[in-house]
Amino acid sequence: MMDAPNGVDFIQKSKSFRPPSSYVEQSYITSADMYSEIYRASIEDPVAFWSDIADELDWVHREQTVIEGSLPDFRFFPGSQINVSLNCVDRHANNPLRRNKVAFFFEGENGETRSLTYLQLHRNVQKFANVLHNFGLAKGDVVSVYMQNLPETYIVLLACLRMGIIYNTVFAGFSPEALRERIVTSNAKAVICSNGSYRRGKVLALKETVDAALQGEHAVRHVIVFNRIADLATPMVQGRDYDYTELMRTAPATCDAVPLDCNDPGLLIFTSGTSGKPKGIVHAGGGFLLGTYAYSKYQLDLRDEDVYWNTADIGWLTAHIFVLVGGLALGVTNVIYEGAIDHPHQGRLYEIVERYQINKLFSAPTAFRMLMKYGEALAQTYDLSSIRLIASVGEPLNPEAWNWVYRVVGGGHAVINNTWGQTETGGTPLASLPGATAMKPGSCGVPFFGHSLDVVDHEGRPVKDGTPGLLIIRTPFPTLARDVFGNRNRYLQNYFEQIPGAYITGDSAIRDHDGHYWVLGRVDDVINVAGHRISTMEMESSLIQHESVVEAAVVAQPDAIKGTVPVAFVTIDNRVLPDDGLAKALQLKVIEDIGSFAKPERIHFVSVMPKTRSGKIMRRMLREVLEGSVIQGDITGLEDSDALTMLISEVQDS
Ligand code: PRX
């Protein structure tokens, strides 16, 4: 029976687009040859590559050594001292040409707008650093930050980075249990929150959640509350809770940054595990700066004149990689937005692009698919001509969505950059170099400088190009997670044990004959039906092309005869009836597009998908729903736990 290349048909069928020539002129890397040459040199001599990047940053003290050790025990610039906030704030505030430039345009979901210059940011960050200091918080302490996208959230995080205080952002909207788990696991000494957040027209009472999370034992001594919503009742606990604005009013306006070793922990972010407790991923502050600066510069071509909007929530690492650290290190003007990008009307995202004349837009496939559902006519009522680059991360960007975004949102003149990264990689080791490499709809582009990637089998042997395998990274890089908080064994076992000397991503991928990578999903998401290996991404892509389908997720279900069979979950246009006729039509579509072996055994019509706050469909939960109704793994990452209950009952009824 045939094995690969089943499931890779879409790669063969894929078209390739050259970057628009108007874009190439303003790109750092201007041709495929230039990329290949720099890439080759960076792999041969990573020390020279990272040393050149380091030269572009401000150091407090710099030693000679660039890279020490190897995976999993490695350090970048050991003994060298650097501070993230000096690079993201002070150096722009001290530059007469940049200090009065807008660092943030803020737009609240309720329509409120504000802006903050680099000089204003500088003053506020120093004041809040003094607030932290006055509470006795110091280098190495952990604080939990439970805030939505607000300028104050950025001020808080930069102040932590200034003092070497390790911050842990938790999605504002997570339940009290999820927040409590993170506070307790990280041994946080303080919580910084806003009193509430606007989300889809509703008010989320965040301080109430913090109070509930702090019932019982924990190490939190202080809670600092930013009153985002003036008329929201916010009871304060005497001696524990403090008002942000009051504290800022009296705080001194200057505060020296603490010099930190490049490898000192800077931030902590939890990622949901497939089972058991969520993992606290630890990133080194200096390392994170070094890498995110390089990714933001070369993969987004960020420049002084850019007005750049990354829609990611601050609870997701993407916002730290490409806004808080990468974006600010490059001194661009960032747009930050508080709420849902289709509220109060479906054109909200377009309206913001038009209002600020955004030229670089970064979002996620779930958002692009949503825009696609709202239709082309809506997009055409806005002026989107300022857009030059559209980037994406988080899930496969299926070719249909890619083409739609390219044509409708980018007007055929923008670069689409489907980047690939993980919370653990702290950046995007795969992406296009926008002015240089060809764009292939659905592909994640090429390896970033200094990163040696490979696709291997389970024993670590490289597979042939065009064949799916396990994606691994063989070189250390500065943004790679340094630890799982409080659990070194889990770090080593999860990421390094299976293939010695390499970091294991857990994703499955194909490298094509041009050296472009196609990430297919988690390894568990590649289905083996009677010897045929099928990628769920390809099946989902096929289903999504059907006019009635909004979203699709395919998972494997054990089958006595075939080993496993694919089962599809789909959400459909609410004007269409989910009947047997439609189910048959969808099965036929997959048969036509891929082959009869890929036919989904069953189609479940569901009204919602279980998703993370970053919009990723939690396929693991769909598998568990099929196996029975008890969800074993961690569910604290779910955006909406009611969705799961509804899903279980819909599947049981169907
Ligand atoms: O499976 C891959 C998928 O998302 C996972 C990482 O998720 P998270 O930690 O939330 O990412 C934070 C982003 C910095 C990966 O293991 N993924 C991410 N990007 C892509 C992707 N899958 C396919 N294509 C992508 N572009």
Side-chain angles (χ1 to χ4, degrees), residues 282-485:
V282 180
H283 284 291
F288 196 76
L289 168 67
L290 202 64
T292 59
Y293 172 85
Y295 299 124
S296 304
K297 177 171 174 180
Y298 292 109
Q299 295 174 340
L300 305 183
D301 276 323
L302 287 186
R303 286 179 176 275
D304 245 336
E305 59 273 27
D306 287 342
V307 180
Y308 155 61
W309 181 24
N310 189 320
T311 67
D313 190 287
I314 196 69
W316 194 27
L317 196 66
T318 303
H320 305 240
I321 299 168
F322 286 114
V323 187
L324 177 75
V325 183
L328 290 180
L330 282 145
V332 296
T333 293
N334 299 272
V335 174
I336 50 177
Y337 175 67
E338 176 183 33
I341 52 174
D342 59 344
H343 192 86
H345 59 86
Q346 295 181 342
R348 185 77 194 254
L349 177 137
Y350 300 136
E351 185 183 76
I352 294 174
V353 169
E354 180 180 286
R355 178 171 312 132
Y356 297 97
Q357 290 290 290
I358 285 160
N359 65 338
K360 305 226 164 124
L361 176 68
F362 199 132
S363 199
T366 181
F368 295 130
R369 287 194 292 264
M370 183 186 79
L371 295 177
M372 206 168 136
K373 180 177 86 177
Y374 294 154
E376 195 165 335
L378 177 73
Q380 278 159 358
T381 58
Y382 294 89
D383 172 15
L384 305 177
S385 61
S386 57
I387 298 181
R388 290 284 166 274
L389 177 137
I390 302 171
S392 172
V393 73
E395 273 201 289
L397 182 61
N398 46 299
E400 302 63 49
W402 194 103
N403 281 307
W404 192 89
V405 170
Y406 178 66
R407 191 171 54 78
V408 178
V409 187
H413 60 249
V415 168
I416 310 296
N417 197 352
N418 176 24
T419 71
W420 171 86
Q422 305 179 296
T423 302
E424 292 88 338
T425 58
T428 40
L430 286 172
S432 294
L433 276 296
T437 50
M439 299 182 274
K440 299 188 188 188
S443 145
C444 299
V446 294
F448 189 65
F449 307 130
H451 296 55
S452 170
L453 281 81
D454 209 350
V455 180
V456 300
D457 65 17
H458 286 283
E459 270 88 53
R461 291 176 300 232
V463 300
K464 282 203 296 259
D465 286 350
T467 312
L470 185 60
L471 182 65
I472 63 165
I473 307 180
R474 296 190 190 277
T475 40
F477 51 100
T479 60
L480 182 61
R482 305 304 176 94
D483 207 353
V484 169
F485 191 83

Side-chain angles (χ1 to χ4, degrees), residues 565-591:
V565 290
V567 173
F569 292 77
V570 289
T571 58
I572 55 172
D573 188 322
N574 52 18
R575 288 163 301 191
V576 179
L577 214 59
D579 58 12
D580 278 355
L582 180 57
K584 290 220 167 65
L586 294 179
Q587 286 171 322
L588 198 63
K589 175 101 185 53
V590 178
I591 293 170

Side-chain angles (χ1 to χ4, degrees), residues 7 36 134 139 174 263 283 342 350 402 471 489 518 543:
S36 302
N134 290 342
K139 183 182 161 188
F174 268 4
N263 302 281
H283 284 291
D342 59 344
Y350 300 136
W402 194 103
L471 182 65
N489 271 345
W518 302 68
L543 290 165

